[in-house]
Amino acid sequence: MIQAARSPGVRRPPPGQALTPERVEHYNRSGPRYTSYPPIPFWSESFDEKDYRAALRRAAAASDDPVALYVHLPFCAERCAYCGCNATVTNRSSVVDAYLDRVELEIAAVIQTLGRGRKALELHLGGGTPNFLTEPQMERLLRLLEDAFDLGAEAERSLEIDPRIATPEQVRFLRGLGFTRISLGVQDMDPRVQEAIGRIQPEALTRKIFLAAREAGFPSVNLDLVYGLPYQTPEVFQRTLDSVMELKPDRLSCFSYAHLPHLRANQKQVDARGLPATAWDKFSLFQQAVDALTEAGWSWIGMDHFALETDELSRALEERRLHRNFMGYVERAAPHLVAFGCSAIGEVGGAQIQSDPKLGSWQRALDAGTLPVVRGHVLTDEDLRRRDAIHHLLSNLELPHRLLEAREGASGRQLPALVREREALEAHADDGLLRRLEDRYEVTPLGRWFLRNLCMELDAYLPVSLPTAQSGAPRFSMTV
Ligand code: SF4
């Protein structure tokens, strides 16, 4: 079991550097989660198919580079009120067949330029609900991918499932297809919370599918939680945490709930009366999860992930060699992430690409023989240097000074030192968020809670001075 003191940054801050409501309020700012840098709102809508093809040609030229694969499967049996994902509700399996027809076209269009048989290190299916696919549909999808890429036995295959439509037989079937990692959406086990967010999922059902995944021999079984939900009091949330810890998942995520009914119409159905009243109330729930999980043997990874001590992510964190990509935290980062499906986000040949999030126009573009790109961004030397710094800080809880110094970029361009950024980090060191070491900054136990704020100092795209939250309002910015 991991001792709290061994896992970087989970120790309590020393007296005088306390986590107080005032400090939480001070750092309560909106900011990105840095799955990408620059964040998607800063990508260009003039990036089009021609730019994606050019990126694929660059990746084709680097023929030894392996890739990671992602497929977005947007279908769900019903829409959960709290959901912020790109999801399409249907009860017709033929809709999925039509979708897979277009995924087939998309794969063909990509490998036309990238080339067939590129080695893939990992495959992830996200959604929506990947286990909405029938067995023949899932087999078809894997056949399409295996025909186009070298998805050898050592490639990691992972997927997200909704336990409410899963069966033990389906879980065994997925394991038989070579999936090694399975993530079950849980959010909270409490019936009143579930009712408020429009997702009824009895605890017994979650346990049944979790145990079925263990029995099927999945090497990694993960659970996804959400905090900051209506009626999720500390007592209620503790019961969920206790229940989850008893199952002993290999990894957990604990995401902040963002209640944005003006942007997501389905969230108008959420019973918002029981939402946390203040930023501190919400922060305290996350603190409760961190305390419980790190004391019970999970390492705190990045902002909101947790992994058992025996998990490769924990070992990579100890050795400061963790990476971040669109799919989360990884030990081995492939140089390219090739993504398929509507709204899918990839990175190929030094460019970040997003596909059309609207199912109809995504399909029409593919039917017309074009790649359905809606926005993208070609990474500059400056972007790459800042992304390295942000992702290293986020993943490994330290920032080597060399990442802030003047240097030559990949294209030979000279990049100046990040002077303003260093001044900002110095101010955070004065505030107790960073420790000054000879060759690097190290995130302190106090700074661990405000990791996102530290990363934001290295972001050249954000406004220099960010507005703080309305007094007392829960935001979705800090580590929480
Ligand atoms: S929370 Fe999951 S299952 Fe529910 S609508 Fe969203 S993607 Fe579908």
Side-chain angles (χ1 to χ4, degrees), residues 76 78-80 82-85 87 127-129 162 164 187 199:
C76 296
E78 58 185 79
R79 182 76 163 162
C80 308
Y82 74 97
C83 177
C85 299
T129 306
D162 180 348
R164 297 173 302 163
Q187 331 320 337
R199 181 181 170 118

Side-chain angles (χ1 to χ4, degrees), residues 74-80 86-92 95 128 132 359:
F75 304 103
C76 296
E78 58 185 79
R79 182 76 163 162
C80 308
N86 182 300
T88 298
V89 174
T90 183
N91 55 15
R92 285 184 301 135
V95 177
F132 188 77
L359 188 57

Side-chain angles (χ1 to χ4, degrees), residues 57 83 92 153 163 202 219 221 233 237 249 269 288 298 364 401 412 477:
R57 277 194 295 278
C83 177
R92 285 184 301 135
V221 186
T233 63
F237 196 39
Q269 308 301 319
Q288 186 179 345
W298 282 267
R364 282 192 296 279
H401 291 161
S477 55

